[in-house]
Amino acid sequence: NAGVTQTPKFRVLKTGQSMTLLCAQDMNHEYMYWYRQDPGMGLRLIHYSVGEGTTAKGEVPDGYNVSRLKKQNFLLGLESAAPSQTSVYFCASSYEDTIYFGEGSWLTVV
Amino acid sequence: RKEVEQDPGPFNVPEGATVAFNCTYSNSASQSFFWYRQDCRKEPKLLMSVYSSGNEDGRFTAQLNRASQYISLLIRDSKLSDSATYLCVVNPSGGKIIFGKGTRLHILP
């Protein structure tokens, strides 16, 4: 009973490196989201997708890119990581307004 | 006015007490409302949906006031295990679900 799975769970990057966070859901949900959560800032929406092949910007999209080539996967890319992108990243999918989260990916940029 | 606003707390409440907190939203066209619970270093999880007529789930009661654009969560007979951050969630439709920053609740023994 996987639900929403994120990989990797932990990663340390050097400034300027690139990486991709992978989110996979096995619930056949149309909508998927990437959030970041920082102390005192709450969950902030980075990008979201309302279906395969579509993406849209959220509240804090700068420095990130996304792709939704397959319905079950939503990838979040950091092209040139910056210390300000140190955060916990949560992927989520939703069906009929109920949103299901992955367990989070802890990213540190040094 | 921010899209979704919550008092960050913390609310420090003795075990067994009743505690309530509100969440205000700015988009009067919002359709769906929820409360999520988040434990430290864990992902948010759905606590309950909020219906127009109000709804109850055990010790938890959620209410919606469309005229004043706020939702509320009431916890009765609070338990130590209720200590968490409670997130207000508003779906104005169109796929962009909005989270409040959360209210921290500490239940004191």
Side-chain angles (χ1 to χ4, degrees), chain B residues 17-71:
Chain B
T18 295
V19 60
F21 22 84
N22 290 342
C23 164
T24 59
Y25 60 95
S26 60
N27 187 342
S28 59
S30 296
Q31 298 295 319
S32 307
F33 308 88
F34 308 88
W35 284 103
Y36 276 69
R37 171 194 168 125
Q38 186 174 23
D39 295 296
C40 187
R41 298 180 67 79
K42 296 286 189 181
E43 74 275 21
K45 293 184 178 178
L46 178 65
L47 178 66
M48 59 195 303
S49 302
V50 185
Y51 302 122
S52 297
S53 55
N55 48 299
E56 192 172 301
D57 182 2
R59 297 181 294 107
F60 297 83
T61 300
Q63 291 194 312
L64 167 64
N65 185 317
R66 285 194 181 273
S68 300
Q69 294 182 212
Y70 74 86
I71 65 173

Side-chain angles (χ1 to χ4, degrees), chain A residues 10 31 33 35 37 40-43 45 48 50 58 90 94 96-103 106, chain B residues 31-32 34 36 38 41-46 49 87 89 91 94-102:
Chain A
F10 301 95
Y31 290 9
Y33 314 82
Y35 291 89
Q37 188 173 37
M41 300 295 289
L43 282 162
L45 182 63
Y48 65 103
V50 300
F90 287 103
S94 69
E96 292 187 348
D97 293 336
T98 300
I99 188 165
Y100 301 85
F101 284 89
E103 293 183 339
W106 272 255
Chain B
Q31 298 295 319
S32 307
F34 308 88
Y36 276 69
Q38 186 174 23
R41 298 180 67 79
K42 296 286 189 181
E43 74 275 21
K45 293 184 178 178
L46 178 65
S49 302
L87 305 174
V89 181
N91 185 356
K96 191 177 172 184
I97 296 174
I98 307 296
F99 282 79
K101 292 184 179 180

Side-chain angles (χ1 to χ4, degrees), chain A residues 27-103:
Chain A
M27 298 174 281
N28 203 35
H29 290 169
E30 291 291 341
Y31 290 9
M32 296 187 74
Y33 314 82
W34 275 107
Y35 291 89
R36 61 177 289 175
Q37 188 173 37
D38 304 289
M41 300 295 289
L43 282 162
R44 292 184 291 171
L45 182 63
I46 304 171
H47 287 280
Y48 65 103
S49 169
V50 300
E52 181 179 317
T54 73
T55 63
K57 292 181 179 180
E59 184 185 356
V60 288
D62 294 343
Y64 305 95
N65 56 75
V66 287
S67 64
R68 183 96 183 269
L69 299 179
K70 294 183 178 180
K71 187 177 183 179
Q72 63 268 33
N73 295 336
F74 195 28
L75 279 62
L76 178 71
L78 285 72
E79 291 185 344
S80 179
S84 61
Q85 293 178 304
T86 293
S87 188
V88 181
Y89 291 85
F90 287 103
C91 176
S93 67
S94 69
Y95 175 71
E96 292 187 348
D97 293 336
T98 300
I99 188 165
Y100 301 85
F101 284 89
E103 293 183 339

Side-chain angles (χ1 to χ4, degrees), chain B residues 65-82:
Chain B
N65 185 317
R66 285 194 181 273
S68 300
Q69 294 182 212
Y70 74 86
I71 65 173
S72 64
L73 179 67
L74 178 80
I75 306 174
R76 290 182 301 277
D77 187 23
S78 54
K79 313 290 185 190
L80 293 176
S81 58
D82 293 334

